[in-house]
Each structure stands twice: as structure tokens, then as C-alpha cells.
Amino acid sequence: SICGRYRSLEDNPKSFVLACFDHFWKLYRDCEEKAFAKFEREMNPSRLALPMDQLFDFKAWVEDVGLVNEKIQIEEAARNLVKRQLLLILQKNSLWSFDDWYSTMNSNEWKKVPDQQDWFHVSPSDWSSVISSLLLASSDYHFYESFGQEKIVLERARFLSNDRLVMSKQDRQFTAADGCPSLEHSLDGGYEKGRFRPKYPQTFNCVVRFTVPEKLSNKAHWGHIAWRYCNLVRSLHEY
């Protein structure tokens, strides 16, 4: 970790410790920028776990040293990290086009799934999953206290995403390879032995390509860093 090399500095002069703080924040900013570059390029939420890990590690070191004033900056950095994630996702969602996604999938007869996901070819169902995952942490006081405006916009975006498959039937040439009659039926199916069985598997696998981890503690969960932010703030105020 960034501050791991400084674990033995507790007995050094205060001025030297403060210099280490400055160096940490410089390295942290670089860590955050690289993490977001990878997150945006790969559409992989686990990339954002590393900067949050560094903030937790730095918090532990700050408490060991006894200079608790740095905790305000730690909380601010964690809040900015989550807000940056939320705003980036909202930006990508606002630039998303149903027509672009539909034409790409329809040209593949609704059976070919690209190996790598990208922001512009996320299905309406997967957009709903991403946003719902982010909102799992939103019932926490520290989330809606810090990201109340983003929560409102995310809920509106989720509502629109849920409607897009149902509203997609007008004047389109739908050529599903598995006999699915229209996009509004792409999620048809039922549960058997505790597992969902889609009625039209090929179309379903084109429309639902994201598997959301069960727990927010999983770094691949879209709501992971928001959940960790809430835990961090709670621990900062309890110390």
C-alpha cells in the first residue's frame, strides 16, 4: 500500500510525519487517476477498490500516529471518489443510445455476445442492474446525506431504463434467433429449483450480460465503494 512504507515513522519528528502526509496525498491522487482511467476503459468497478483501500490504510496509520486532523481530508477524499464514480456513470448513461445498442445487437441476430463490455452497448436491463447496485447502499444515512442529488437522478435513470425494453416495439425489425417475439418478452421465464430459467435463452443472454455479485463487500460490485464510504465515515466519527 501507499503508506505501508511509512509504518515505522511514529517516532520521527512531527514535521517529518507531516511531510509524509503530503507525499501520501500526491501518490493517492495518482492512484485515483489511474484507477478511473482503467474503470472507464474496462467498465470494471473493481478498479476503484484500490484507492478506497489506500484511504482505509491511511486512516489506520493516522490514528496510530495520533494526528487526527487528517481524518477530515480522508473523509473528503472518499466522498469525492464515490461522487466521481456516480457522476461518471450518470454521464455515460446520458450519452447512451437505445438505437445504437439495438442496431448492434439486431445485426448479430441477438445471439452474439461481445467478449468485452463497453458503455455504449449496455442493455437497458443491465443499466438498471448497474444503477440498482449503486443504490443498494443509498439507504445508509451517510450515503443520502452526501449524495442525495445523485440518488434522485440515479432513481430517475433506473426508472427510464426499466421502461425501455417495453417501449421498444414500435416499427423495428426484430430477428431473434431463438423465436423471442419482441424485446418486451426478452426477460420472460421463471424460477426452477432456485434458479431463473429464461424462456428465450439466447435473447436473454444478449439483454442480461451483467452478473451482480451477491454482497456489497465484493470489489466487483458496482455499489462496493459507496458501501465502504459509509463504513469509513461511520468509523471516522466513532474513533
Side-chain angles (χ1 to χ4, degrees), residues 42-234:
E42 302 171 8
M43 204 177 176
N44 181 356
S46 66
R47 294 298 189 181
L48 300 181
L50 180 59
M52 186 63 80
D53 288 342
Q54 302 303 328
L55 292 175
F56 268 87
D57 196 24
F58 188 52
K59 167 189 170 291
W61 187 65
V62 163
E63 291 173 347
D64 287 345
V65 174
L67 298 176
V68 296
N69 290 337
E70 286 289 317
K71 295 200 295 184
I72 297 174
Q73 194 170 350
I74 293 171
E75 181 176 344
E76 182 179 353
R79 181 169 57 251
N80 290 339
L81 178 67
V82 177
K83 184 179 286 286
R84 187 173 176 181
Q85 180 202 26
L86 300 180
L87 292 178
L88 177 60
I89 290 172
L90 286 171
Q91 178 196 37
K92 296 296 185 182
N93 181 259
S94 70
L95 295 173
W96 179 87
S97 165
F98 181 93
D99 289 335
D100 288 345
W101 170 76
Y102 185 94
S103 62
T104 299
M105 298 308 300
N106 203 50
S107 66
N108 291 324
E109 296 182 339
W110 296 85
K111 60 183 180 181
K112 295 179 181 177
V113 180
D115 292 335
Q116 186 168 350
Q117 186 63 270
D118 65 84
W119 295 98
F120 296 105
H121 297 118
V122 181
S123 74
S125 176
D126 282 336
W127 269 121
S128 181
S129 294
V130 168
I131 296 170
S132 294
S133 298
L134 289 166
L135 289 172
L136 284 177
S138 68
S139 60
D140 191 291
Y141 167 79
H142 296 295
F143 185 100
Y144 58 74
E145 183 73 11
S146 298
F147 315 113
Q149 291 183 339
E150 291 79 11
K151 174 177 165 65
I152 292 171
V153 181
L154 284 167
E155 289 176 342
R156 185 186 308 130
R158 179 175 60 179
F159 175 80
L160 293 173
S161 294
N162 288 334
D163 274 355
R164 277 170 173 147
L165 288 179
V166 178
M167 297 169 60
S168 64
K169 18 183 202 181
Q170 57 267 59
D171 300 326
R172 296 185 185 275
Q173 183 64 36
F174 185 76
T175 57
D178 56 6
C180 183
S182 67
L183 266 184
E184 66 175 332
H185 292 285
S186 61
L187 303 181
D188 288 359
Y191 279 88
E192 297 178 12
K193 298 180 179 180
R195 182 179 178 184
F196 182 76
R197 305 285 184 179
K199 185 175 182 178
Y200 305 103
Q202 291 183 343
T203 304
F204 179 87
N205 288 333
C206 288
V207 174
V208 180
R209 286 149 59 185
F210 285 176
T211 300
V212 179
E214 182 177 351
K215 296 182 178 181
L216 282 163
S217 57
N218 189 320
K219 292 183 178 182
H221 199 293
W222 288 86
H224 175 73
I225 66 166
W227 170 75
R228 292 200 73 194
Y229 165 78
C230 295
N231 292 338
L232 176 68
V233 176
R234 198 158 26 249

